[in-house]
Amino acid sequence: MPMRGLKDYFKKAEKEKWAMGQFNVSNLEGLKAVFQAARSLKSPVIVGTSEGEGSYWGLKEISHLVNFLSKEYRFPIFLNLDHGKTFDYIKEAIDAGYPAVHFDGSRMDLKENINKTREIVRYSEKKGVFLEGEVGSILGSSAILDKAPQIRAEDLTRPEDAGLFSQETKVKSLAVSIGNFHGVGKSGDGPKIDLQRLKEIKETVGNLPLVLHGGSGIPEDDLKSAIQLGVVKININTELRSAFTLALREAVSSGEIAPYKYLPETIQAVQKVVEEKIRIFGSINKI
Ligand code: G3H
Ligand code: ZN
């Protein structure tokens, strides 16, 4: 039987009210952690690379690795380019074999964002690649932040803009700004999700799958409510970076110098976070 693609999984997720996790990875330990978590829970999964992560891996290298895992194990693991900001960079990822890409035109005005996205849609469709668009600005960065970013009204996605963007561009999914931000505040100050806005956005975009970025630090109840309102993909990075780094510090403190002896502890720490998110997202046994 042929394996389902991302589009089919999003359709199934929307119908059954669960979400797929996109887990960003910087290194082999992160990739092993995500893959082991997804396999052990029989959950379809997306692996993401930011610009920094992608250049550390090499786009072709990570693309070959993920495609290898998917084929070798006949497992629904998909690679997505996260926050691609230029057409050239997105093209490079598509040409390197990424089956999915995210174009982040959030620093453009709506008209320019629509025009650029349309250009990229033409290329991605020709290559059979899944394209995620973005309307509104998602602030912050995937780190432990001194202070949570100040989100202004104009950063949030306006439902009517989302509706127009979706009609004009025909993207396959849409990232929205509804109080979510990248990173986690030092003092634990997390994002406040505007569920009413999410509901109104969903009403204007119909069956277009919605994506929630900045998943780290969002309380479980808000994640679950967002899924009920049509979010089918949730991106997580900061909590994985943090789990890896804390475990690594601890692991090397013993004085052990053989990486294959201490790195499994970092894999376990990241895997634990991924498994917990998969449980919250409800994607267990959905292959
Ligand atoms: O695009 C990546 C995600 O939105 C990650 O956000 O670092 O807050 O989990 P996060
Ligand atoms: Zn993001």
Side-chain angles (χ1 to χ4, degrees):
M1 211 175 77
M3 277 206 301
R4 284 192 182 97
L6 258 190
K7 203 172 150 201
D8 308 311
Y9 275 113
F10 284 165
K11 213 183 263 171
K12 181 171 159 65
E14 175 148 10
K15 199 166 139 223
E16 299 171 359
K17 304 247 183 268
W18 51 273
M20 264 172 96
Q22 174 187 302
F23 301 101
N24 278 38
V25 296
S26 292
N27 55 19
L28 204 51
E29 288 66 40
L31 180 59
K32 275 176 180 262
V34 172
F35 190 51
Q36 282 171 195
R39 275 192 94 198
S40 74
L41 297 176
K42 298 188 173 54
S43 164
V45 77
I46 300 167
V47 169
T49 59
S50 65
E51 204 172 336
E53 288 154 352
S55 76
Y56 182 69
W57 278 106
L59 298 185
K60 281 191 186 159
E61 284 81 349
I62 180 68
S63 160
H64 280 283
L65 277 170
V66 177
N67 286 332
F68 164 77
L69 293 174
S70 155
K71 288 207 181 89
E72 181 73 12
Y73 297 91
R74 285 192 57 76
F75 193 86
I77 179 168
F78 304 91
L79 180 62
N80 184 41
L81 184 84
D82 197 29
H83 293 282
K85 297 208 172 64
T86 64
F87 190 3
D88 280 350
Y89 180 52
I90 288 196
K91 232 175 177 170
E92 198 186 326
I94 293 176
D95 296 347
Y98 277 61
V101 290
H102 162 218
F103 173 59
D104 173 355
S106 60
R107 62 204 187 294
M108 302 170 177
D109 64 30
L110 184 65
K111 195 159 176 277
E112 199 189 349
N113 189 2
I114 289 176
N115 289 339
K116 237 324 148 210
T117 306
R118 284 171 76 152
E119 212 180 302
I120 298 172
V121 164
R122 282 196 288 275
Y123 191 76
S124 61
E125 300 235 305
K126 224 169 40 199
K127 302 280 181 176
V129 165
F130 193 97
L131 179 69
E132 173 182 329
E134 178 169 333
V135 173
S137 298
I138 305 159
L139 307 183
S141 66
S142 293
I144 309 294
L145 308 167
D146 286 337
K147 253 179 76 191
Q150 287 289 339
I151 303 175
R152 302 157 307 167
E154 59 264 41
D155 296 318
L156 299 170
T157 307
R158 297 194 321 172
E160 59 272 34
D161 290 353
L164 182 69
F165 184 88
S166 124
Q167 265 174 26
E168 296 284 316
T169 63
K170 304 277 183 288
V171 284
K172 296 278 190 291
S173 64
L174 182 67
V176 293
S177 171
I178 51 169
N180 46 325
F181 62 81
H182 294 121
V184 175
K186 217 177 221 164
S187 52
D189 37 345
K192 301 211 175 8
I193 301 300
D194 182 347
L195 294 169
Q196 179 56 29
R197 182 178 295 267
L198 176 59
K199 190 164 174 275
E200 287 166 23
I201 293 171
K202 187 62 190 162
E203 280 160 11
T204 68
V205 301
N207 57 8
L208 181 68
L210 295 180
V211 178
L212 186 64
H213 281 245
S216 296
I218 299 182
E220 181 172 339
D221 284 354
D222 281 354
L223 292 172
K224 288 183 170 163
S225 304
I227 293 169
Q228 290 305 311
L229 292 171
V231 164
V232 296
K233 172 174 172 268
I234 301 175
N235 290 9
I236 304 283
N237 196 351
T238 307
E239 288 187 47
L240 309 181
R241 289 180 172 185
S242 175
F244 173 82
T245 305
L246 292 179
L248 183 64
R249 279 189 196 134
E250 177 71 28
V252 295
S253 68
S254 69
E256 176 57 63
I257 64 152
Y260 71 87
K261 289 189 181 163
Y262 62 76
L263 286 173
E265 290 171 40
T266 66
I267 299 173
Q268 271 162 31
V270 177
Q271 185 173 341
K272 198 168 156 229
V273 178
V274 176
E275 285 177 356
E276 176 58 18
K277 297 298 176 192
I278 285 176
R279 274 195 192 94
I280 294 172
F281 302 164
S283 63
I284 297 181
N285 284 327
K286 297 296 187 184
I287 286 177

